[in-house]
Amino acid sequence: MAQAAAVAKPPAPPRRRRASATPRRLPYLLIAPAALLMLGFIAYPVLSVFYYSLRDYNPTKPWRNGFAGLDNFTRIFTEDPLFWDTLVFSAKWVFVEVGLQLMFGLALALIVNQTFVGRALGRALVFSPWAVSGVLTSAIWVLLYNSQTGITRYLADMGIGEYGVSWLSDTSTVFPAAIVADLWRGVPFFAILILADLQSVSKDLYEAAEVDGASRFKQFWHITLPHLKDAIILSTLLRAVWEFNNVDLLYTLTGGGPAGTTTTLPLYIANTSVDAHDFGYASALTTVAFVILLFCSMVYLRLSKFGGEK
């Protein structure tokens, strides 16, 4: 009877296996090595700059190395006139470059967004300078500004100007010459981003505006510009940061001269660290530049209302 009861007893329900957490964590485990590697390459240099900014560190004078506290920062704001000169020139360089690049980039984007014969070739020619490296761009413009074989030689042959004139050695012409060289490579950046955003504007809006009798200028002001607001804000911010940190073009073209008139703050930092081997003071300058960029970026995004209503 007991045997019959045992047979009649229903089988116990199967145990539910606990879901393993491994499949959910697997994607994070797979990207962890790359993420840790990138974090190391980014975090270590940043933290080391902050660390050395509080120290006197010059490999050529090891007997002077040691903890300096805030002495480097005090020296920046009270004893170093070059810091203020380079900071003012950096602000001037960024303002002029970004403003002109945005203006010409917007114009080019509007042109190549139209339908015309050879549009693909026109777009390729407009965007091609952006594919050229900064060092190669500098080399090209150094040759173009060469006083013996460059632009000034051909202008002198046509009776414009004199032979042997170097625009990069004259304090009155070096800034416009450097501006033009950087415009050649910077304008396509704005043209590419703005053109990509123009492609998403609905043509129905322009057709409705034409039906209502809106002029081309009103269509541009009330339809195109509001749609491009976020793209313009983001591109100008990115380009301003890049132009502020621009070293390769100015270093190759002018070396910061003549008489230091084209020395930006990053170029001054590079000269202080590489030429003078004063890595502690250069780290303090870098920290100040980082704080300035961070503050200006936050204020710019706040005032421009990035991501808000168009």
Side-chain angles (χ1 to χ4, degrees):
M1 207 164 158
Q3 184 177 3
V7 172
K9 187 178 180 181
R15 284 187 180 181
R16 296 181 61 186
R17 295 183 178 179
R18 296 179 62 184
S20 175
T22 303
R24 289 179 297 177
R25 297 176 181 175
L26 184 59
Y28 301 100
L29 293 176
L30 292 176
I31 66 173
L36 291 174
L37 191 62
M38 291 181 60
L39 182 63
F41 275 104
I42 295 174
Y44 174 75
V46 172
L47 294 177
S48 64
V49 166
F50 291 152
Y51 170 74
Y52 285 112
S53 66
L54 302 175
R55 298 180 61 85
D56 288 325
Y57 182 69
N58 190 330
T60 62
K61 300 175 182 178
W63 58 88
R64 294 185 179 179
N65 296 342
F67 182 73
L70 299 178
D71 291 348
N72 288 327
F73 296 97
T74 303
R75 176 184 166 190
I76 290 174
F77 294 109
T78 61
E79 303 176 12
D80 189 358
L82 289 178
F83 166 75
W84 298 107
D85 293 342
T86 57
L87 183 60
V88 170
F89 178 76
S90 297
K92 176 183 176 182
W93 172 264
V94 170
F95 181 79
V96 175
E97 272 292 346
V98 175
L100 291 177
Q101 289 178 18
L102 173 61
M103 182 176 64
F104 288 116
L106 177 60
L108 282 176
L110 292 173
I111 292 173
V112 298
N113 190 46
Q114 304 299 317
T115 301
F116 55 89
V117 178
R119 184 175 68 171
L121 178 60
R123 288 181 175 180
L125 293 175
V126 168
F127 300 153
S128 57
W130 183 246
V132 181
S133 67
V135 176
L136 184 55
T137 300
S138 304
I140 292 173
W141 284 94
V142 165
L143 294 176
L144 289 174
Y145 287 144
N146 187 283
S147 59
Q148 303 299 323
T149 59
I151 299 173
T152 55
R153 170 64 183 273
Y154 291 100
L155 291 177
D157 289 340
M158 293 185 293
I160 304 174
E162 300 177 356
Y163 289 100
V165 175
S166 177
W167 290 345
L168 297 177
S169 301
D170 191 340
T171 55
S172 62
T173 57
V174 62
F175 183 71
I179 287 291
V180 171
D182 201 45
L183 277 177
W184 180 78
R185 185 169 182 262
V187 167
F189 170 78
F190 283 96
I192 293 170
L193 288 184
I194 294 175
L195 177 63
D197 208 23
L198 281 174
Q199 303 281 318
S200 62
V201 182
S202 176
K203 294 183 179 179
D204 295 339
L205 297 175
Y206 294 104
E207 293 175 358
E210 289 181 359
V211 171
D212 292 338
S215 62
R216 286 291 183 92
F217 176 77
K218 289 185 177 180
Q219 293 178 30
F220 170 77
W221 188 260
H222 295 287
I223 299 177
T224 306
L225 271 186
H227 186 86
L228 296 176
K229 173 191 170 185
D230 286 347
I232 291 175
I233 294 173
L234 181 60
S235 59
T236 50
L237 177 61
L238 291 175
R239 196 61 190 162
V241 173
W242 293 341
E243 288 297 341
F244 183 87
N245 293 317
N246 191 344
V247 173
D248 52 358
L249 184 134
L250 287 174
Y251 183 82
T252 306
L253 281 180
T254 67
T261 54
T262 58
T263 302
T264 59
L265 181 56
L267 185 55
Y268 177 46
I269 294 172
N271 293 333
T272 302
S273 58
V274 177
D275 297 338
H277 305 290
D278 194 350
F279 292 97
Y281 189 62
S283 298
L285 288 169
T286 304
T287 303
V288 172
F290 170 77
V291 173
I292 291 173
L293 281 178
L294 181 62
F295 175 77
C296 292
S297 299
M298 294 174 62
V299 171
Y300 176 71
L301 291 176
R302 181 72 175 178
L303 294 178
S304 62
K305 298 179 181 180
F306 176 72
E309 294 183 0
K310 296 182 180 180

